[in-house]
Amino acid sequence: NLMRMLILPDAWNLVSSTPLFQRNVDSMDVLNAICSSLQPMLFTPQSTIIRSGTVGTKMFFINSGCAQVVINGKPGHQRHKGDFIGEIALLYATERTADIVAAESTEAFMLSRKQFSRIAQQYPHVLERIAAVGVDRVKRNNWGSKVKSKKRFRVLPDDEDTEAGPAAGEN
């Protein structure tokens, strides 16, 4: 796919510089597997990237722009280039814990649960690393009642692809 080949350098630079995946730690094969699985997405200002209360099936790596975390209607942290959001959805079949809204035009790379499952089977340490970050965010934000923790993480099967985008009746 020509589009993916043109976007790959941006994805490579972004993924290899995030705390989750680093050139000096992960092999080229791991980084290539992740980068070749990413889908580019562009969110216009005020569009919903993640909707609280929906069951998530994707995580996003922010390549440019700014995303605002909103919890119970209150603005929280902002996420910028190099940050990632939605990793808990790859580990748990649970409702999203926050809304994430594009504060400005925001480019992100999306990793689906299906693609993540394929990567995690081939590179189990990737699952362990994302699980550790997910558990830390759940604890830090007191989301334990929203996210049911299990001792062993497992990759969940992919759900229907309906997450990002406007809700019914929304423009």
Side-chain angles (χ1 to χ4, degrees):
N1 181 326
L2 184 57
M3 172 114 172
R4 183 170 291 178
M5 302 260 304
L6 293 173
I7 302 256
L8 189 57
D10 278 348
W12 180 270
N13 289 334
L14 178 67
V15 170
S16 65
S17 66
T18 64
L20 276 179
F21 313 107
Q22 298 176 352
R23 282 181 253 232
N24 59 347
V25 175
D26 289 303
S27 71
M28 299 292 261
D29 290 341
V30 171
L31 294 173
N32 187 50
I34 294 163
C35 291
S36 64
S37 298
L38 298 176
Q39 299 281 325
M41 300 188 79
L42 182 61
F43 296 94
T44 57
Q46 303 308 308
S47 63
T48 301
I49 300 171
I50 291 175
R51 184 174 313 286
S52 178
T54 61
V55 176
T57 60
K58 305 168 180 76
M59 79 175 286
F60 300 88
F61 296 89
I62 298 175
N63 190 47
S64 67
C66 176
Q68 178 71 54
V69 177
V70 180
I71 301 172
N72 298 322
K74 297 177 185 170
H77 291 90
Q78 290 188 335
R79 303 289 184 219
H80 301 278
K81 181 176 180 140
D83 291 334
F84 54 90
I85 52 177
E87 74 285 348
I88 295 169
L90 302 183
L91 305 168
Y92 301 101
T94 190
E95 293 181 357
R96 295 285 197 177
T97 54
D99 290 315
I100 312 278
V101 178
E104 57 191 52
S105 187
T106 301
E107 178 186 319
F109 291 101
M110 183 268 298
L111 180 63
S112 72
R113 186 182 295 155
K114 182 178 183 178
Q115 294 295 337
F116 175 70
S117 176
R118 182 182 56 77
I119 294 165
Q121 287 173 4
Q122 191 170 3
Y123 305 102
H125 71 280
V126 172
L127 170 63
E128 293 166 12
R129 199 176 301 154
I130 289 181
V133 171
V135 166
D136 181 59
R137 283 194 185 174
V138 168
K139 287 179 182 175
R140 193 175 51 231
N141 293 296
N142 295 316
W143 291 334
S145 63
K146 291 183 178 185
V147 177
K148 304 293 185 234
S149 180
K150 298 186 178 184
K151 288 185 180 183
R152 297 194 81 188
F153 290 97
R154 62 188 172 84
V155 178
L156 300 169
D158 204 28
D159 295 33
E160 58 186 271
D161 194 21
T162 60
E163 190 174 12
E170 186 178 79
N171 290 330

